[in-house]
Amino acid sequence: MADRPMQEPTLLLLTALSDEPRHGYAIVQEVLAISGGRVRLRTGTLYAALDRLVQEELIEVYCEEVVDGRLRRSYTLTGGGRVRLAAEADRLRAVASEAQRRLGLAGGFGTAGPSVPKGVTA
């Protein structure tokens, strides 16, 4: 399964768990922040993805606690999840680098946005 590129929600979810364990609502908020507000995971999508990623052993339950009478489960990345996320980050970096090379953007993207190659009007 590692041969296929990750879907964006999976990539964002694993990224959200890469620095510390989080519970469902915190994952939703972190994905929203990481994506710059573009991706808002719905509850059904989130918990289906969490169940799948637990089965794939990319994440695991870190702890469970009862908060306001409800079970709160926190998740964390496994060693295999870290390896898979790092491989996907490398793949994306290589694709982006090749796109920049082909566009003549050898210096990459600066803080002001992409530079425009000679002869191209923005």
Side-chain angles (χ1 to χ4, degrees):
M1 209 174 290
D3 298 324
R4 286 187 19 221
M6 267 184 207
Q7 296 295 315
E8 186 178 27
T10 300
L11 173 66
L12 292 168
L13 197 152
L14 293 179
T15 301
L17 293 173
S18 65
D19 60 344
E20 64 182 60
R22 289 187 165 84
H23 55 80
Y25 181 74
I27 293 169
V28 169
Q29 294 305 304
E30 193 66 16
V31 165
L32 196 60
I34 293 167
S35 70
R38 285 184 312 101
V39 178
R40 179 180 298 274
L41 294 176
R42 296 175 191 248
T43 304
T45 302
L46 171 67
Y47 287 102
L50 290 171
D51 288 343
R52 178 178 54 81
L53 294 171
V54 166
Q55 288 179 344
E56 293 176 9
E57 298 181 350
L58 297 178
I59 66 172
E60 63 189 4
V61 174
Y62 178 75
C63 70
E64 295 179 327
E65 59 185 336
V66 176
V67 177
D68 296 329
R70 298 181 68 189
L71 181 66
R72 177 186 287 174
R73 188 172 286 149
S74 293
Y75 297 87
T76 190
L77 216 51
T78 63
R82 286 190 177 286
V83 168
R84 181 71 172 93
L85 180 58
E88 184 67 6
D90 286 344
R91 185 191 71 77
L92 290 169
R93 191 176 301 108
V95 170
S97 177
E98 181 61 13
Q100 289 175 330
R101 185 189 71 76
R102 290 178 182 219
L103 288 167
L105 303 173
F109 296 111
T111 56
S115 57
V116 179
K118 287 184 181 179
V120 176
T121 58

